[in-house]
Amino acid sequence: MTNTINRRRFCSTVAGLAGTAVVGVLNSPAHAVAKEFPPGRFVDVHVHIGGIRKGATRPLQVEDLLKWMDLNDVAQACVLPLVSPESFPNPVSTEYVLEHTQPHRDRLIPFCSIDPRNTWYSSGQALIGQLERYKEKGARGFGEHKPGVEITDKRNLAIFAGCQSTELPVLIHLDSRRNVDVPGLPGLQSVLKMFPQAVFIGHATGFWNSISGGPNVSLSGYQKGKVKPGGALDRLMDEFPNLYGDLSAFSAYNAISRDPDFGREFLIRRADRMLFGTDFLTPDQKIPQLDFYRRLDLPADVRQKIFRDNIRRILKLTAE
Ligand SMILES: [Zn+2]
């Protein structure tokens, strides 16, 4: 008992001294204060504001999002508009996201989005001009790109060309209705080949069910059971260094957890390509990722890359 108390006292004294030392250095005019990112274990690549889900009385607001981030150790989050009619019951414009994130840019990183069928930007020049304007207002990426067209639709290719030339990473929702492709993802493959300088971040069931090979891969629904060899994701990630995976939503959680040994090895093997995310968009939403990744036994360097460092590198975020 005495030993325990002594050790506690000793520890608190040391902590106190260390604290004093740090404050001293920070207050010293001779030393510039090191810039740091906001505290928190995670950077979330995928959240939304302004959406109203069935049964909700009001949209999720920035204050709700920040409170949720504080509670869950989320340092920063990418806030994604939803502009396509197939993407959400009520559209959320880029302008709404830019305006509402404006006072919190240390923590909230806005993306921009344009539907490929928007004829106002049908010339490459007009599209690039608009993307540049969005960048000037703070947009760091493009998406959530979720239009009801084929992934290789030529209007989609124009969007990807614009993102490549303006260096905006594209977060792409892929399933059997949005950015439509077929099992094996030949459409995504040709897009990756066409735009080697653009960064693509894959999301949703069409992308994540393709973690598995075999004849029964579907691009919709949540597929269960052991992952079979020959999945499109490993093949495409081997071939294309510009392909990343957004770990948000039930689709990615399901893909990683359906075959836990494969999932863990996949995360370690693709530690430079995986991006933590949730798809948080309603106040009472259950987010399986938070508990799952807190508990998952991963090497410390893998955690750091997946939870924070990869997305900060891709978006070229700097501490303020
Ligand atoms: Zn989303």
Side-chain angles (χ1 to χ4, degrees), residues 46 48 144 203 279:
H46 193 142
H48 300 281
E144 177 173 356
H203 164 69
D279 212 346

Side-chain angles (χ1 to χ4, degrees), residues 127-167:
L127 177 70
I128 287 172
Q130 183 61 20
L131 293 174
E132 289 292 0
R133 280 191 289 281
Y134 283 151
K135 276 181 80 168
E136 278 159 25
K137 290 181 180 161
R140 305 300 288 251
F142 186 93
E144 177 173 356
H145 185 60
K146 197 175 175 182
V149 301
E150 299 279 325
I151 189 168
T152 51
D153 185 296
K154 67 177 196 303
R155 296 162 297 182
N156 237 6
L157 301 182
I159 292 277
F160 301 146
C163 290
Q164 178 169 261
S165 65
T166 53
E167 298 182 11

Side-chain angles (χ1 to χ4, degrees), residues 7 11 40 59 66 74 113 125 128 164 174 231 243 260 263 295 297:
R7 197 164 64 212
C11 289
L66 289 168
V74 179
S113 193
Q125 219 173 357
I128 287 172
Q164 178 169 261
L174 203 153
L243 178 62
R295 287 181 196 185
D297 172 34

Side-chain angles (χ1 to χ4, degrees), residues 46-48 80-82 87-88 144 146 171 173 203 246 248-249 278-281:
H46 193 142
V47 302
H48 300 281
L80 315 179
L82 288 160
S87 67
F88 206 69
E144 177 173 356
K146 197 175 175 182
L171 194 147
H173 177 117
H203 164 69
D246 161 4
S248 77
T278 62
D279 212 346
F280 180 64
L281 58 100

Side-chain angles (χ1 to χ4, degrees), residues 1-13:
M1 190 64 174
T2 319
N3 276 345
T4 313
I5 290 168
N6 283 344
R7 197 164 64 212
R8 270 191 202 147
R9 270 193 197 139
F10 172 75
C11 289
S12 73
T13 308

